[in-house]
Amino acid sequence: MRLNAARLGAITAAYLTYGQTLDMRTNDLADYHFDLPVAGHSRSSFGRRSVDAETGEVVPYLPGEPASITWSTDCAQLCLMVERRPLEQRLSAMLARRVDRIGFVTAPQRGVLEILAPFLHEFEGPGLLRRHPLAASTLEQLLLDGLLLTLQHDFREEVETHHHIPPGPVRRAVEMLEERPGEPWTTTTLAAAVAVSVRALQAGFRRYAGVSPTTYLRNVRLSRVHEELTAAVPGLTVTDIAVSWGFVHLGRFAGSYRQRFGESPSETLGRNRRR
């Protein structure tokens, strides 16, 4: 057996392989689990119904619902355990109402591997993001949102419904982003803060601000990074400053910075250190 695991807030990820055919049963799960073969295949049985998952397909397992799982000899899986309460709170914030249980469709689904990419990079790398609370919290919330927006479940249609709101909530959300850009905002937490649904806030931002909430926050944080690079504090690097402001994709950060300020972050830092 080979096991490698890492934890990020409410999410625990493990790479697991046994090297032999294996039958197991889940009993009395307290949290949500998502198993994704990255090699080989698996078969999951829920009562009399069985489903086969191939490489890149994830199968959800729900709290309180036992299942039997058979791994092929060559099967290697990325197994996610997501704490129940934080995930249900995220969905509650999206819908602006309480959700006590999420009925994920217990069938093979695709798309999860893409949203896990930044976490897997951190999992295999030097752990830079875990040393910066804002970046770690942002990544955790992006993963929770990604699961809720990617996988099929009994609230998926409601999540995707668009609503219209007056400018007031958007104005309050903008003030929060401008005054407290260092908080681990996501569209979900911002929508909860102004008491509207996620989709309603997204539609309101597009209508009244011309950009999405995520883009607006990114622009505010880019400005803060630019200010710190311009100050040229001795000992700080571009990576230190970018990650401290929640930029977990450094390549995308550099591209966005150049597009906004007409030069690379290192050029800003270098120019001001030569003063």
Side-chain angles (χ1 to χ4, degrees):
M1 183 183 77
R2 178 187 171 192
L3 172 65
N4 192 12
R7 182 178 178 85
L8 184 69
I11 302 168
T12 300
Y15 173 86
L16 185 60
T17 180
Y18 287 96
Q20 63 183 38
T21 301
L22 182 74
D23 294 315
M24 64 175 62
R25 183 174 177 80
T26 65
N27 290 307
D28 300 323
L29 292 178
D31 299 303
Y32 294 94
H33 290 248
F34 306 88
D35 287 0
L36 187 153
V38 293
H41 62 275
S42 67
R43 168 167 290 185
S44 301
S45 299
F46 304 89
R48 296 182 178 181
R49 181 176 62 88
S50 296
V51 297
D52 294 319
E54 302 295 335
T55 301
E57 295 180 326
V58 67
V59 176
Y61 303 89
L62 309 183
E65 296 188 14
S68 299
I69 312 169
T70 301
W71 295 41
S72 65
T73 302
D74 60 343
C75 185
Q77 295 214 51
L78 178 63
C79 304
L80 295 181
M81 182 187 76
V82 182
E83 293 177 15
R84 178 173 182 174
R85 182 174 174 81
L87 189 61
E88 291 172 354
Q89 286 177 334
R90 299 293 291 173
L91 183 57
S92 297
M94 285 184 176
L95 302 178
R97 65 181 182 84
R98 180 174 175 175
V99 172
D100 294 318
R101 179 178 176 80
I102 307 170
F104 286 100
V105 175
T106 52
Q109 303 182 52
R110 290 192 173 271
V112 171
L113 196 56
E114 289 77 7
I115 68 172
L116 289 175
F119 177 74
L120 296 179
H121 178 73
E122 171 73 1
F123 187 18
E124 298 169 351
L128 175 65
L129 301 184
R130 290 194 289 272
R131 298 200 299 269
H132 294 270
L134 176 58
S137 179
T138 298
L139 181 56
E140 176 197 2
Q141 293 177 36
L142 287 173
L143 291 176
L144 294 178
D145 288 352
L147 291 171
L148 293 170
L149 295 171
T150 301
L151 296 178
Q152 295 296 324
H153 52 79
D154 48 2
F155 295 96
R156 177 67 182 271
E157 184 176 352
E158 187 176 351
V159 167
E160 294 178 345
T161 301
H162 290 265
H163 301 280
H164 296 290
I165 59 173
V170 175
R171 189 181 307 113
R172 293 196 300 274
V174 165
E175 291 172 353
M176 291 178 183
L177 297 181
E178 293 282 357
E179 295 172 1
R180 297 166 7 225
E183 293 191 16
W185 295 111
T186 65
T187 304
T188 303
T189 57
L190 192 61
V194 296
V196 298
S197 72
V198 168
R199 294 300 182 181
L201 186 66
Q202 290 172 327
F205 259 79
R206 284 192 297 269
R207 181 176 182 182
Y208 301 114
V211 295
S212 68
T214 302
T215 298
Y216 194 97
L217 176 59
R218 185 184 68 219
N219 290 338
V220 173
R221 288 179 174 170
L222 281 172
S223 295
R224 299 300 193 276
V225 171
H226 181 72
E227 291 172 3
E228 292 194 19
L229 291 174
T230 301
V233 177
L236 285 181
T237 67
V238 170
T239 298
D240 290 333
I241 296 172
V243 173
S244 72
W245 279 105
F247 291 100
V248 297
H249 297 279
L250 296 180
R252 295 180 189 173
F253 156 73
S256 298
Y257 186 95
R258 178 180 290 277
Q259 184 178 20
R260 186 167 178 82
F261 299 107
E263 62 181 5
S264 70
S266 58
E267 287 172 335
T268 303
L269 183 60
R271 186 183 66 253
N272 288 288
R273 281 183 174 171
R274 290 192 297 269
R275 290 178 178 175

